Amino acid sequence: MAQAPVPLCLTDFPPYVSAELPDGGSLTALARRAFAAAGLAVQALHVPWVRAFGLARNGECLLLTLWRNDERDALFRYSLPVTRMQLGFFVRADRNAPLEAGSTIAYQRGSYLPPELSGGRYKLHELVDPRPGADMLNMGRVDAVFSERATFEYQLAKQPRLAGTIRWQSPPLEVKPTFMAISKAHPQADVWLDLLNQEIRRSARN
């Protein structure tokens, strides 16, 4: 009897996970390779992040990107790290001075905010949709955009008219090791994580 496909919760987090990208993004492709090596198909569930987290918490799918904290550690088991995500500021390319206290920082609603942002030093401008953030920065409506580096650079690459006008500000505010995760209660947790870890190690060697 054929085994049931492995359910993957796919959120919109390019270049790591996205329905817009070939194979669903780099981490979706990694998961597909891991399970294909064992003769397992996958079932892609394209859902918003809040829904994906709820499904994974209930053992109904595997999460492809998750940052660890104490609350999540009580619910999930993790793969080896799949990437280290850089969180920080994008600023106008012509800006040379550091951001001053009171600067206006755009960020996406629901984003994790490191202590430097949540401590009241800056004015925070919440965005429901992160895509206008680059234009707001270019027009001077905000002083910086807080984002995961690769994700924002992916969005910038799709807007060639902004080429050279916006840059990443080093160093990052925080670097987050990122994992694939599955509910501790899932009966296939050990098997699936072992397959994922084998592929993560193979990918690291190539």
Side-chain angles (χ1 to χ4, degrees):
M1 174 186 285
Q3 297 188 54
V6 179
L8 307 179
C9 274
L10 306 188
T11 57
D12 189 29
F13 197 11
Y16 307 106
V17 181
S18 177
E20 298 179 359
L21 293 170
D23 291 326
S26 60
L27 296 186
T28 309
L30 186 154
R32 290 182 191 275
R33 294 195 304 271
F35 294 118
L40 295 173
V42 300
Q43 177 188 12
L45 306 174
H46 296 278
V47 289
W49 167 247
V50 173
R51 175 67 173 155
F53 188 85
L55 289 171
R57 182 183 54 211
N58 294 334
E60 297 178 55
C61 73
L62 175 77
L63 282 177
L64 299 183
T65 58
L66 193 67
W67 298 332
R68 296 183 63 169
N69 59 32
D70 290 343
E71 180 183 356
R72 293 172 178 180
D73 287 354
L75 299 171
F76 296 104
R77 293 191 57 199
Y78 304 97
S79 71
L80 295 170
V82 287
T83 189
R84 290 172 59 84
M85 296 185 180
Q86 298 183 61
L87 307 179
F89 294 137
F90 283 85
V91 297
R92 286 177 55 102
D94 58 5
R95 185 185 187 97
N96 296 315
L99 290 170
E100 301 174 349
S103 296
T104 301
I105 312 296
Y107 74 102
Q108 184 177 3
R109 176 187 293 177
S111 295
Y112 162 81
L113 298 179
E116 185 166 340
L117 275 183
S118 57
R121 174 178 172 81
Y122 302 110
K123 297 176 184 177
L124 300 182
H125 183 89
E126 184 182 79
L127 300 175
V128 176
D129 183 342
R131 288 173 292 185
D135 280 319
M136 293 176 66
L137 177 57
N138 187 49
M139 293 185 292
R141 293 175 56 192
V142 297
D143 299 301
V145 174
F146 170 75
S147 180
E148 195 279 323
R149 183 176 182 176
T151 300
F152 198 79
E153 288 178 342
Y154 171 84
Q155 297 295 342
L156 283 177
K158 298 174 66 176
Q159 304 180 70
R161 60 189 173 77
L162 296 178
T165 66
I166 295 172
R167 65 172 177 84
W168 168 255
Q169 179 175 284
S170 294
L173 297 182
E174 195 167 334
V175 178
K176 285 282 203 182
T178 307
F179 307 85
M180 296 186 180
I182 186 170
S183 167
K184 288 183 174 181
H186 198 287
Q188 295 298 312
D190 288 340
V191 173
W192 289 357
L193 287 174
D194 183 58
L195 293 172
L196 290 169
N197 287 337
Q198 289 180 48
E199 182 57 34
I200 292 166
R201 293 187 187 100
R202 279 194 294 266
S203 298
R205 291 195 297 266
N206 295 336

